[in-house]
Amino acid sequence: MLPVTDQGLVLHARADGPVDAPAVLLLNSLGTDLRMWDDVVEDLARDWRVLRFDKPGHGLSQKAAGPLAIADLGRMALAVMTAAGVPRVHVVGLSIGGQIAMDIARRAPERLDRLVLSNTAARIGTAEAWRARIAAVAETGLYAMAPGVMERWFSARWRSEHPARLALWQTMLARTDAQGYAACCEALAASDLADACATITAPTLVIAGAEDGATPPELVRGMADLIPGARFALMEGAGHLPCVEDAGAYAALLRAHLG
């Protein structure tokens, strides 16, 4: 466990793998905590120092007092790097984590080696849709919303074949602090990183899931087209969290790109 304080907010972070190895920062999706990466970390931590953290109101991190912006979350990610004594990293960001990764590329390119943007886009959804979700969370809570989210997160086949694991992921989402979840929804409602994509200079791999119901592959590919020299990889049969559905194949893609 690596407690990190950012502007008075205490965040839960972890560092795994050899202390003197090259570092990788993993940034997870809305409604999940750092355990989203467990299966991938088991592979990567043999050769890299792997950093990850819980966004405010997720996992063990304290919740923010009000709405957040992607730039706030980017600043927190850099604070995790500093607390771990890591000046420069590869960054892998999934969904909102991908937008945080883009903010790091824009804000602090000197701290970034290679970049992986997974199941994300320059703009995810619309401001109206995110505000509607915030209202729904306030009215009925995350527990009522969780089953529908699972259909967007995971492919139909995976849900059918792994009902017990599905139940645990649904519980993770349902137990997320509603205020913390809504604060991150506000960040997504206001975020459009198309201009930032065009300025990315780090070697970039973009990953999409063919069965992703949250960021469909054509949306992800459109973002890849904005990034100079980006490579695009489509994971067949996978949904929004391919690092969970097929951790082995996902880790292999990361290894091939990170070198």
Side-chain angles (χ1 to χ4, degrees):
M1 183 180 292
L2 177 68
V4 176
T5 301
D6 175 79
Q7 298 188 356
L9 190 71
V10 180
L11 303 170
H12 172 229
R14 279 193 60 125
D16 297 278
V19 174
D20 57 351
V24 181
L25 173 65
L26 305 178
L27 302 168
N28 42 285
S29 68
L30 177 66
T32 69
D33 60 39
L34 55 75
R35 289 173 292 181
M36 187 191 89
W37 298 108
D38 279 354
D39 293 342
V40 173
V41 171
E42 186 176 343
D43 181 307
L44 296 184
R46 296 196 301 267
D47 301 295
W48 283 277
R49 184 68 165 168
V50 184
L51 309 179
R52 45 190 170 146
F53 78 102
D54 293 334
K55 293 180 295 299
H58 293 66
L60 299 182
S61 290
Q62 293 182 329
K63 61 185 176 183
L68 294 168
I70 294 296
D72 296 319
L73 298 168
R75 185 192 67 243
M76 293 172 192
L78 291 170
V80 170
M81 291 171 54
T82 300
V86 174
R88 191 174 173 91
V89 295
H90 303 304
V91 179
V92 180
L94 190 150
S95 196
I96 191 175
Q99 292 216 336
I100 298 168
M102 289 180 239
D103 181 74
I104 293 172
R106 173 178 59 185
R107 174 199 303 261
E110 73 283 357
R111 303 193 70 178
L112 175 64
D113 281 326
R114 290 178 175 263
L115 179 63
V116 179
L117 300 175
S118 177
N119 304 81
T120 190
R123 182 162 185 78
I124 302 174
T126 65
E128 294 77 16
W130 287 115
R131 301 262 156 70
R133 185 177 298 194
I134 292 167
V137 170
E139 182 177 352
T140 63
L142 281 165
Y143 182 84
M145 183 182 298
V149 173
M150 294 302 104
E151 295 180 4
R152 296 191 293 275
W153 276 10
F154 299 110
S155 67
R157 177 179 176 181
W158 191 90
R159 297 197 310 270
S160 174
E161 292 179 351
H162 302 280
R165 292 182 67 190
L166 179 68
L168 297 179
W169 287 102
Q170 185 168 318
T171 299
M172 177 187 287
L173 174 61
R175 289 183 177 176
T176 301
D177 178 80
Q179 182 179 326
Y181 184 91
C184 289
C185 289
E186 288 281 4
L188 287 166
S191 179
D192 186 340
L193 291 163
D195 290 344
C197 286
T199 67
I200 291 173
T201 58
T204 302
L205 171 67
V206 176
I207 301 174
E211 307 299 324
D212 187 344
T215 50
E218 60 272 16
L219 179 67
V220 181
R221 188 185 290 274
M223 176 196 64
D225 291 342
L226 299 175
I227 301 171
R231 295 192 301 111
F232 179 80
L234 180 66
M235 291 187 64
E236 296 291 348
H240 191 56
L241 304 182
C243 55
V244 174
E245 288 199 44
D246 195 345
Y250 193 88
L253 285 172
L254 299 188
R255 283 184 170 276
H257 181 65
L258 301 181

